[in-house]
Amino acid sequence: MGKHEEIRQKKPKPEKRESKKFNNPQSAEGAEVSLDIYSSTKKKGRYKKNGKKKWPWWVKCLISFGVTLAIIFGAFFGLKAYIYSLLNYQHQDIDEQNVGVNTQNSQSHIVNIALFGVDTRKENSVEGLSDSIMILSINKSSRQIKLISILRDTIVDIDGRKAKINSAYSTGGPECAIRTLNRNFNLDIRDFVTVNFERMAQLVDLVGGVNIEVNDGELALINPLIEEQAAITGDKPQYVKNSGYQTLTGMQAVAWARIRKTSTSDGERDDFGRTDRQREVLTQLFNRASGLGLSGMIDLVEEFSPSLVSSLTKDEIWDHLEWAVGGTSLQNARMPIDYSWRIKDIPEGVPSTGLYFDREFARDILKAYIYDGVPFEDYIEEYGISYNPW
């Protein structure tokens, strides 16, 4: 016997692997069944050694994605419910059949809303003359917002009589005021927002003030208006000490926006200058509010809503806010435009003067601006200016 053969004979034989018998009535009695589940499946990644099922990677990703979506949507609807609770404004329905909606130019992606500013000098009042009248035009396709001031001394037809447009609100409330805008300018306004301009001071303070060029003429008039406002609110007057470019507080900005009896830095005076100042304050408010974080936006909603009266529902307000979060641009304009009006005596019985304008020209240029996206300057360059000499 060789040496190598002797060694092979001494090598111990491997032990036979033990098996256990299951008393399974459905199997042959005494059949040997391996308990090594992992090795017996031969399908990698489907089972763990402890016998629990192991999900494929794509199932895990799908589950994680679903959980993430649930958290996001839960937070979204929770935020929505919270903002709804802060919208503590006065809702006032209007009869759409009674506001003279003109559907001739209507486009589904354009929403026009009437904004009325009631300057009553009473903090919680929203009654009286609407000395600030604006059309807020939202174009959801081009993501543009247009803010168009209507001069308060503009002579229009109010239910068959000629009068200043600012008297429509005090005559028949928001329905009469909307009807006057729609009928005179061929618009499709269905909703309104009315605010007491006194509350604008708190909003300006919330966004950190507005940057304004105060000229010498405005400096001479602004502080008496600040004193008047402070007397109403019971706050300490915040005087403007010098002219020049500066950041105005809410109290100072509201007083500046009320000035009528001196020219703006651009040379506009009377109601022209006043509406220019109002739009400047609102434009800066819009730009600054757009840069606020979530908490800042919530503060604005909470502060501003109690001073509002509106026909918009909470769902409609939310939809507009949600749309605006995607980023928008703001343009502003004024009607009647320069050189398209004349100052004449108001018809017999109204001891005042007002701005008479060519209504057909105003309708055409507003249609081009709001519905066709044509700037005033481009329209005038192509068609010129038309006015009624009365």
Side-chain angles (χ1 to χ4, degrees):
M1 179 182 296
K3 183 178 181 179
H4 293 291
E5 183 177 355
E6 183 180 355
I7 293 174
R8 282 197 301 269
Q9 288 180 349
K10 292 181 179 181
K11 183 177 180 179
K13 297 182 179 179
E15 295 183 3
K16 186 176 181 181
R17 185 171 182 174
E18 294 184 1
S19 299
K20 291 187 178 181
K21 295 182 179 180
F22 284 86
N23 295 323
N24 187 345
Q26 296 181 356
S27 61
E29 184 176 357
E32 295 183 356
V33 181
S34 174
L35 292 179
D36 191 354
I37 296 176
Y38 177 77
S39 61
S40 66
T41 63
K42 304 300 182 182
K43 294 183 179 180
K44 183 180 180 181
R46 183 167 294 180
Y47 293 93
K48 293 183 179 180
K49 290 183 178 181
N50 59 8
K52 293 183 179 180
K53 190 173 183 179
K54 182 178 180 181
W55 297 104
W57 67 268
W58 60 270
V59 174
K60 292 181 178 180
C61 290
L62 190 62
I63 293 173
S64 298
F65 181 67
V67 171
T68 302
L69 278 182
I71 293 173
I72 292 174
F73 277 107
F76 174 80
F77 287 110
L79 173 63
K80 182 177 180 180
Y82 179 57
I83 291 181
Y84 272 37
S85 70
L86 297 180
L87 285 172
N88 186 28
Y89 68 101
Q90 180 182 337
H91 181 261
Q92 181 177 337
D93 286 323
I94 61 173
D95 183 0
E96 192 172 308
Q97 304 300 317
N98 196 36
V99 293
V101 174
N102 187 303
T103 59
Q104 181 180 358
N105 301 320
S106 294
Q107 298 178 29
S108 60
H109 61 281
I110 295 178
V111 179
N112 295 314
I113 301 170
L115 304 181
F116 302 112
V118 182
D119 195 6
T120 65
R121 304 299 202 276
K122 296 179 181 179
E123 190 170 1
N124 298 315
S125 175
V126 287
E127 298 180 353
L129 298 172
S130 55
D131 282 348
S132 178
I133 304 168
M134 298 184 186
I135 300 166
L136 177 68
S137 184
I138 300 172
N139 189 320
K140 295 195 173 183
S141 177
S142 64
R143 305 203 63 81
Q144 288 183 328
I145 295 176
K146 294 172 182 173
L147 198 60
I148 307 159
S149 295
I150 309 295
L151 296 173
R152 70 173 193 170
D153 291 336
T154 302
I155 305 301
V156 294
D157 182 272
I158 303 177
D159 293 340
R161 66 182 179 88
K162 283 186 171 58
K164 290 182 178 181
I165 194 170
N166 69 333
S167 66
Y169 195 92
S170 61
T171 297
E175 283 191 3
C176 180
I178 295 173
R179 184 168 61 248
T180 299
L181 288 170
N182 283 335
R183 288 180 174 175
N184 283 272
F185 298 107
N186 276 359
L187 297 173
D188 59 346
I189 300 172
R190 293 176 170 83
D191 288 295
F192 79 97
V193 176
T194 300
V195 62
N196 184 335
F197 207 67
E198 200 69 45
R199 297 282 296 189
M200 295 295 292
Q202 288 88 342
L203 285 183
V204 173
D205 287 334
L206 279 174
V207 300
V210 291
N211 298 324
I212 300 295
E213 177 75 32
V214 180
N215 62 40
D216 292 336
E218 292 167 340
L219 180 62
L221 298 173
I222 192 171
N223 286 323
L225 292 170
I226 289 175
E227 288 183 346
E228 180 182 346
Q229 186 178 347
I232 294 170
T233 60
D235 298 322
K236 183 179 179 180
Q238 300 168 4
Y239 295 115
V240 177
K241 299 179 180 180
N242 303 294
S243 59
Y245 187 76
Q246 56 195 290
T247 301
L248 300 184
T249 66
M251 180 182 291
Q252 294 167 343
V254 169
W256 180 79
R258 283 178 171 149
I259 295 174
R260 294 184 63 204
K261 296 181 179 179
T262 191
S263 298
T264 66
S265 298
D266 294 329
E268 299 288 358
R269 58 179 301 119
D270 299 324
D271 200 36
F272 299 92
R274 185 174 185 266
T275 57
D276 284 358
R277 293 184 183 97
Q278 290 174 353
R279 288 198 311 277
E280 177 62 24
V281 172
L282 289 177
T283 298
Q284 289 204 35
L285 268 176
F286 172 83
N287 291 334
R288 286 180 176 250
S290 299
L292 292 177
L294 178 60
S295 61
M297 290 297 295
I298 290 175
D299 287 342
L300 282 180
V301 171
E302 185 175 14
E303 182 65 39
F304 197 39
S305 63
S307 64
L308 298 178
V309 177
S310 178
S311 60
L312 293 167
T313 65
K314 290 184 177 182
D315 284 340
E316 289 170 332
I317 293 174
W318 172 263
D319 287 343
H320 293 319
L321 289 175
E322 187 179 16
W323 169 81
V325 168
T328 60
S329 61
L330 179 64
Q331 302 175 5
N332 60 74
R334 183 182 65 204
M335 286 295 294
I337 66 171
D338 291 343
Y339 311 113
S340 69
W341 52 268
R342 293 289 184 272
I343 296 179
K344 299 284 286 186
D345 289 335
I346 289 181
E348 184 178 355
V350 184
S352 183
T353 59
L355 303 178
Y356 287 82
F357 68 105
D358 189 311
R359 188 161 63 176
E360 293 305 318
F361 172 74
R363 289 174 173 178
D364 290 342
I365 198 169
L366 274 180
K367 175 184 179 300
Y369 185 56
I370 293 176
Y371 301 102
D372 300 331
V374 179
F376 282 178
E377 297 80 6
D378 293 349
Y379 184 90
I380 293 171
E381 183 177 351
E382 183 171 356
Y383 298 105
I385 293 177
S386 175
Y387 65 90
N388 191 330
W390 298 95

